[in-house]
Amino acid sequence: MSPPAVIAPSILSADFAELGKACSDTMNQGADWLHVDIMDGHFVPNMTFGAPVVTKIRSHVDRPTGAYGRGTFDCHMMIAEPKRWVRDFQKAGCDLYCFHYEAAVSSTAADTPAGTSTAKTSPKELISFIHGLGMQAGIAIKPKTPVDVLWDILENPVKEEVPDMVLVMTVEPGFGGQSFMASELPKVTALRERYPDLHIEVDGGLSEKTIDQAADAGANVIVAGSAVFGATDPGEVIGKLRDAVESRRGKL
Ligand SMILES: O=C(CO)[C@H](O)[C@H](O)COP(=O)(O)O
Ligand SMILES: [Fe+2]
């Protein structure tokens, strides 16, 4: 059976002037995790915020009691130098550090803010580094990246180098409120067929209209920004998204 449904509202669509309250409100409305979009203006053509803001909003949500628990801060790192910021985000209270495959393989970032190394960042090394700091590790792929790049990373017998979650982007990363790309779902199906226990997250354009397709493909971690924060009853939307995923568990 696939892992339980996890609904992770993306605070990208929240009112940034009231971010702490938005985080606690969405948890009270039934969210499981908070999806925290970090954008640097390089990897994607948009900017959000960094570790100091995460430190501040972290205090508005109780820490999870275990891996993947309620209140997990799922940090989606849309940044060009994913290795550089691991320590800062761990200190800020990130629980799941999800970096982009594309950024890791093209990055020359060092593991310190001084950034003196020119060595390429291998995804396996980065996953191990994240685990070493006590966080869960996620790896994300953009729409143009084939899922095949992940097989070698997921097949690895070295447990600390294997990600806990794969994020399949269902929009081009950078902005909330875009249209869902159903063309990305075969990646989810292929991942679920090979890895029944893996956390598979989808992000971008998820709503009551698109959730059935994503759940049928096997996604269990559902990010929703505009659909939750734009709703008159966010709790009802969160419940419907969860029901759609839970009703398929065991059938996949
Ligand atoms: O990573 C993201 C954008 O790059 C966001 O998490 C995502 O777009 C959520 O917003 P929405 O549900 O409105 O599409
Ligand atoms: Fe995201």
Side-chain angles (χ1 to χ4, degrees), residues 85-168:
W85 300 103
V86 175
R87 284 201 186 100
D88 291 53
F89 276 77
Q90 187 265 341
K91 283 186 201 144
C94 168
D95 303 292
L96 196 167
Y97 189 97
C98 184
F99 65 91
H100 267 267
Y101 167 84
E102 303 85 357
V105 297
S106 63
S107 169
T108 54
D111 64 355
T112 70
T116 49
S117 168
T118 54
K120 298 280 184 200
T121 309
S122 100
K124 290 177 185 176
E125 181 199 350
L126 183 47
I127 292 162
S128 175
F129 184 49
I130 295 165
H131 283 154
L133 289 177
M135 293 182 285
Q136 306 295 311
I139 187 163
I141 51 171
K142 297 207 282 188
K144 288 190 184 67
T145 303
V147 71
D148 309 37
V149 301
L150 298 176
W151 301 146
D152 175 54
I153 296 165
L154 289 164
E155 291 303 331
N156 187 350
V158 185
K159 201 170 170 286
E160 63 264 26
E161 294 178 350
V162 176
D164 306 286
M165 185 182 82
V166 170
L167 163 53
V168 174

Side-chain angles (χ1 to χ4, degrees), residues 10 12 35-39 74-78 100 167 169 173-174 201 203-204 223:
S10 162
L12 185 61
H35 184 83
V36 182
D37 287 305
I38 308 298
M39 305 185 188
D74 163 29
C75 294
H76 178 193
M77 308 304 293
M78 288 168 273
H100 267 267
L167 163 53
M169 288 304 297
E201 181 174 62
D203 181 12
V223 176

